[in-house]
Amino acid sequence: MDRASPKVLALLAGLTLLWGTNWSMFSVALRELPVLVFRTGSLTVAVIVLYAIVKLRGESLAVPPGRWLPLIAASMMNLTVWNVATSLAVLYLPSGHASVLSYTMPLWVAVIGFAIYRQPLTGRLLAALLIAAAAVVALMAPNFASYANAPWGLFWGLSAGLCWAIGTFIVKRTSWPGMGLSLTFWQIAASWPPIALGALLIDGPTVRWPSSQAIAVTFYTGAIPMALGTSAWFALVKLLPTQVAGLSSIAIPIVAVASGVIFLHEPLSPLQALAIGSTVISLWLALVPARSS
């Protein structure tokens, strides 16, 4: 693998900050809003923002022939299930800990790639994955008791990671001729109807007008982490091999844990601090190639 370009590193750094800090905001919004109502609001904002950007850039919104089925499947895995499952996980677990479970995605990518697509694992990439797995376990270890007491949080967090991995393979292994930001736009747009319908049928009669803080978090989540962050993620998927793209996301829960500690006063153990160092090593192994002799 070639050395990661400055563009890739900049995208990765920006995405890590956007998605990592957003986890602590979930808890703020979900204190007042039901899960499906919050996600419907943020998805609505994301669709409007991306539509405006696509039009301003003069890009086409046309979907190539034969691509609607994989696009809908990718949308279900990457956006619909992800948005619902991660929000539900935060209801049962601290935000930083829920993010750790959801970002087991790189491990699912490695398993799926090796078992189904027969993707080889180099010694360097295997070492990166093992260190990343150890970092995830270290982040989870202080909270095993809470997982035992909140099995639904564990279920939804791991489900989010698995479905995200499946969606990543769908996007990576499908050709999308002529589609740039429109690929992100249509995935988000396709995820809106089922979530909005669920919000209407399940939460509609019980919703009260939220505070300005909850509204601001909903708008921010839709416009920045969802619209711009998701666009950055799919750009990374195109630029990197699937396993490396997945592994690059392992730094995001580190930021999520840190933001949970800073903004929500969630606990941070020495073991979790060690996991941060392990994550840096894992990313270095995955993104920086070995020197040739």
Side-chain angles (χ1 to χ4, degrees):
M1 185 187 73
D2 295 332
R3 183 178 295 273
S5 68
K7 177 182 179 180
V8 168
L9 295 177
L11 276 174
L12 178 57
L15 184 63
T16 299
L17 290 174
L18 282 180
W19 279 0
T21 55
N22 196 48
W23 280 85
S24 59
M25 296 186 183
F26 287 171
S27 297
V28 174
L30 293 176
R31 290 171 189 163
E32 301 181 41
L33 293 172
V35 169
L36 295 178
V37 171
F38 167 64
R39 284 308 192 183
T40 299
S42 57
L43 283 168
T44 302
V45 173
V47 168
I48 294 171
V49 169
L50 280 174
Y51 180 83
I53 294 175
V54 168
K55 286 301 182 180
L56 286 173
R57 294 179 60 169
E59 296 183 13
S60 172
L61 285 172
V63 176
R67 300 302 192 278
W68 274 110
L69 185 59
L71 192 151
I72 296 297
S75 174
M76 287 295 295
M77 295 294 101
N78 285 322
L79 276 303
T80 306
V81 176
W82 168 263
N83 278 292
V84 174
T86 51
S87 296
L88 289 171
V90 169
L91 290 179
Y92 293 99
L93 299 169
S95 63
H97 306 159
S99 74
V100 172
L101 294 171
S102 302
Y103 283 92
T104 53
M105 184 272 278
L107 310 181
W108 293 114
V109 164
V111 171
I112 295 171
F114 181 76
I116 297 179
Y117 296 109
R118 297 293 187 265
Q119 291 184 344
L121 286 174
T122 65
R124 192 178 181 87
L125 188 56
L126 180 60
L129 285 167
L130 291 175
I131 294 173
V136 169
V137 171
L139 287 169
M140 292 169 58
N143 308 288
F144 282 143
S146 63
Y147 297 148
N149 294 329
W152 281 113
L154 180 65
F155 171 79
W156 288 118
L158 292 176
S159 296
L162 174 60
C163 290
W164 185 16
I166 295 172
T168 298
F169 272 108
I170 294 173
V171 171
K172 184 67 176 179
R173 300 182 73 85
T174 303
S175 174
W176 308 97
M179 297 192 76
L181 276 179
S182 60
L183 176 59
T184 304
F185 169 81
W186 281 117
Q187 285 189 78
I188 293 178
S191 72
W192 188 90
I195 294 179
L197 180 61
L200 179 64
L201 296 178
I202 298 172
D203 299 325
T206 63
V207 176
R208 296 180 180 179
W209 190 256
S211 67
S212 57
Q213 184 182 47
I215 294 174
V217 169
T218 302
F219 270 83
Y220 170 81
T221 300
I224 308 301
M226 188 171 291
L228 302 185
T230 304
S231 300
W233 166 250
F234 288 128
L236 279 172
V237 170
K238 290 180 180 180
L239 293 169
L240 294 171
T242 309
Q243 292 164 324
V244 177
L247 190 60
S248 69
S249 69
I250 199 67
I252 295 171
I254 298 298
V255 177
V257 170
S259 63
V261 171
I262 295 171
F263 299 115
L264 301 178
H265 307 294
E266 296 175 353
L268 177 67
S269 70
L271 195 59
Q272 290 174 311
L274 179 62
I276 295 176
S278 299
T279 301
V280 173
I281 296 173
S282 175
L283 286 173
W284 179 77
L285 288 172
L287 297 174
V288 180
R291 293 180 180 179
S292 58
S293 57

